[in-house]
Amino acid sequence: TGKVLRPLNSYILYRMAYESCIRAYLRNSNVSQISVSQLCGESWRMETPSVRRRFEDLARIDNAKHKLAFPDYTFKR
């Protein structure tokens, strides 16, 4: 559609990284997105500070790249 998406935050990057792990754990690729999101959310809250920091670092990198690619971007609802 040509719309510029927002940069990814640390939780979204975490969810993207762990979705396949959760599906493998549940042994079902047809698990609903809601179930995957709920499990990712529970897992995210239990992660160690070092894991969370790693994804926060990745989010900062994504944000910086987003600013370079789309310097005039402003979030609008």
Side-chain angles (χ1 to χ4, degrees), residues 27-43:
R27 294 181 173 86
N28 185 351
S29 61
N30 295 323
V31 172
S32 73
Q33 288 294 336
I34 293 170
S35 296
V36 171
S37 291
Q38 288 172 339
L39 289 170
C40 280
E42 290 173 23
S43 178

Side-chain angles (χ1 to χ4, degrees), residues 11-72:
Y11 171 72
I12 296 298
L13 290 167
Y14 177 85
R15 189 190 183 291
M16 290 169 60
Y18 283 93
E19 179 176 359
S20 61
C21 296
I22 287 175
R23 289 186 185 281
Y25 173 75
L26 296 174
R27 294 181 173 86
N28 185 351
S29 61
N30 295 323
V31 172
S32 73
Q33 288 294 336
I34 293 170
S35 296
V36 171
S37 291
Q38 288 172 339
L39 289 170
C40 280
E42 290 173 23
S43 178
W44 176 249
R45 287 186 287 277
M46 293 187 292
E47 285 294 355
T48 63
S50 64
V51 169
R52 291 177 70 124
R53 262 193 312 277
R54 177 67 179 140
F55 283 94
E56 289 162 3
D57 291 344
L58 292 171
R60 277 191 283 281
I61 291 167
D62 186 66
N63 196 4
K65 287 183 176 186
H66 190 277
K67 283 182 183 180
L68 287 174
F70 308 104
D72 298 328

